[in-house]
Amino acid sequence: MEETIVSTEAAQIPKQRGESLLETAVRYAEERHWDVFPGTWLEAVEGEQRCSCEDIACAAPGAHPARADWASQATGSATVARRMWQKQPTASILLPTGRTFDAVSVPETAGFLALARMERMELTLGPVTLTPDRRMQFFVLPGASAKVPDLVRKLGWSPSSLDLVALGEGAYVAGPPTRFGSWGAVQWACRPTAANRWLPDVEELISPLAYACGRDR
């Protein structure tokens, strides 16, 4: 079941209560024009939810790529997405970064601090996810991963000193309502709406994000 942490303007995409992963993946491609691809899935084994990759120590059970060629498998076509999830309806929904968006990943505590600061600054946010492993991903315009190190340095921080990671080409994020094993589902901290269809540039958000990560160390 999808839940929204921060209340924002109503929109089509987040209406996921009772929806299947297939329907949600199709809507991400159709309404938001995001590329999507199916990842691993969860299987009940001896009363436990285990990853389909069969690795008992899997770090992201049911929420990572199932194939090495996942980047070429990703599609922005709702028709192709429907076909892929029909083959495995319980597959996780993974969204490649570096295409229609990059993502800036920070710890959950820093993320909430940054959200409060951004609200006071009246910044326009893109979608933001909250994952069961206590991370937040802020969606920004593509190209962020190349800019972030220099932007952080200009703010007086060493990039290696902050738990702030920019995800670009070759990376991905899990889209709600993908589940991480028994830990829970990915949720929207700031959901996709008509108001944030146009994503912010990372330069607009880096100051509050870096500040929050610095406070969170």
Side-chain angles (χ1 to χ4, degrees):
M1 180 182 295
E2 184 270 345
E3 297 178 5
T4 300
I5 305 301
V6 177
S7 177
T8 56
E9 177 186 345
Q12 292 178 306
I13 284 183
K15 297 176 183 176
Q16 291 166 193
R17 296 180 185 277
E19 283 195 352
S20 67
L21 288 160
L22 182 156
E23 291 169 325
T24 305
V26 167
R27 276 148 55 86
Y28 285 154
E30 192 169 59
E31 297 178 7
R32 203 71 179 191
H33 305 297
W34 289 339
D35 282 7
V36 298
F37 68 97
T40 53
W41 56 92
L42 296 173
E43 298 177 334
V45 179
E46 298 179 352
E48 295 183 6
Q49 292 290 314
R50 294 187 184 174
C51 187
S52 60
C53 73
E54 300 182 354
D55 180 358
I56 297 177
C58 181
H64 64 86
R67 297 166 38 160
D69 65 343
W70 62 264
S72 62
Q73 183 190 22
T75 180
S77 164
T79 301
V80 175
R82 182 178 299 279
R83 189 181 308 134
M84 290 193 294
W85 266 270
Q86 283 174 337
K87 293 179 180 178
Q88 182 49 254
T90 58
S92 52
I93 301 173
L94 303 181
L95 313 171
T97 51
R99 301 188 182 189
T100 50
F101 64 87
D102 277 7
V104 179
S105 176
V106 300
E108 175 187 306
T109 50
F112 279 119
L113 178 61
L115 282 175
R117 193 172 178 85
M118 290 172 187
E119 184 176 354
R120 291 195 299 271
M121 295 170 69
E122 298 183 347
L123 296 178
T124 299
L125 294 176
V128 181
T129 62
L130 173 62
T131 63
D133 59 349
R134 305 181 72 84
R135 303 287 297 183
M136 278 190 180
Q137 280 92 32
F138 289 72
F139 289 23
V140 294
L141 288 172
S145 60
K147 297 178 180 179
V148 162
D150 283 343
L151 291 173
V152 169
R153 289 189 193 96
K154 288 178 181 178
L155 292 170
W157 297 96
S158 165
S160 62
S161 70
L162 300 181
D163 188 1
L164 184 156
V165 181
L167 305 173
E169 187 175 357
Y172 62 89
V173 297
T178 294
R179 297 192 67 83
F180 279 60
S182 60
W183 306 334
V186 182
Q187 304 174 56
W188 289 117
C190 184
R191 61 186 181 179
T193 70
N196 64 20
R197 181 172 294 278
W198 302 106
L199 299 176
D201 191 288
V202 69
E203 293 181 24
E204 301 172 52
L205 308 186
I206 194 63
S207 177
L209 284 171
Y211 170 82
C213 287
R215 285 280 302 273
D216 192 52
R217 291 189 304 170

